[in-house]
Amino acid sequence: SSACAAAAETSAAARNASDRCRSASAWALAASARAAAPSAARRSASDWASAVAARSRSVSNSALTASAWAAVPSEVARSASAWASAATVRCCSASRSAFAAASSACAAAAETSAAARNASDRCRSASAWALAASARAAAPSAARRSASDWASAVAARSRSVSNSALTASAWAAVPSEVARSASAWASAATVRCCSASRSAFAAASSACAAA
């Protein structure tokens, strides 16, 4: 019984101690809660401010998104304009390159043509010099030929005069030739007539003798 009473007292003391400990702990928690109340209020206010800022950021982001979507057509237009400008630049660069190549080719052709013209001019100059030299070399021969041609012309003129004289003489001899021809024809006709007469006389004489 004494042990049980002692155990009951010990248990009661332990419960009392535990109650006091729980009370102290509850008081400490209440004190801590009271001490943390301003901090919680500040945290709540900070959370509310953060929520308001997040909402503002969300609204701002929505506005920025809407602005970005609204700027899409202009961006597309700028991109198309930039692409067209780049294409124009490339086209102009290609055109300039082609023009430069064509200019270089034309310049090369012009140089070749100029060289050919110079060579042709030199060839013509050499040919003209050779012709002049040949003419100078042929001048004595030409003079001799000119003298020979003059003598030939004089001889031809003399022959022409002589031929004219012979022609005039021949035309002057035509009447006598005609007369001679007529006389010869008459003589031949007379001979033929006499021959025919003799033939007829001979035939008649033979006929008479036969009779």
Side-chain angles (χ1 to χ4, degrees), residues 193-207:
C193 183
C194 289
S195 177
S197 296
R198 279 194 298 271
S199 297
F201 179 76
S205 296
S206 295

Side-chain angles (χ1 to χ4, degrees), residues 56-77:
S56 298
R57 280 197 300 274
S58 176
V59 171
S60 177
N61 290 333
S62 298
L64 290 174
T65 302
S67 176
W69 276 109
V72 165
S74 61
E75 289 294 328
V76 170

Side-chain angles (χ1 to χ4, degrees), residues 32-33 35-51:
S32 177
S39 177
R42 287 193 298 273
R43 276 200 303 275
S44 178
S46 177
D47 292 341
W48 182 81
S50 297

Side-chain angles (χ1 to χ4, degrees), residues 75-91:
E75 289 294 328
V76 170
R78 271 199 300 275
S79 298
S81 177
W83 184 86
S85 298
T88 303
V89 168
R90 287 193 296 270
C91 181

Side-chain angles (χ1 to χ4, degrees), residues 97-206:
S97 299
F99 179 75
S103 298
S104 299
C106 288
E111 290 177 359
T112 303
S113 178
R117 278 198 303 273
N118 291 333
S120 178
D121 292 339
R122 287 194 294 272
C123 182
R124 278 198 297 273
S125 297
S127 178
W129 183 85
L131 287 174
S134 177
R136 286 193 297 272
S141 178
R144 287 193 298 273
R145 277 199 303 273
S146 179
S148 176
D149 292 341
W150 182 82
S152 297
V154 170
R157 181 66 179 167
S158 298
R159 281 195 301 273
S160 177
V161 171
S162 177
N163 289 333
S164 298
L166 289 174
T167 301
S169 176
W171 277 107
V174 166
S176 61
E177 287 293 328
V178 171
R180 272 198 302 275
S181 295
S183 177
W185 184 81
S187 297
T190 302
V191 169
R192 283 193 298 273
C193 183
C194 289
S195 177
S197 296
R198 279 194 298 271
S199 297
F201 179 76
S205 296
S206 295

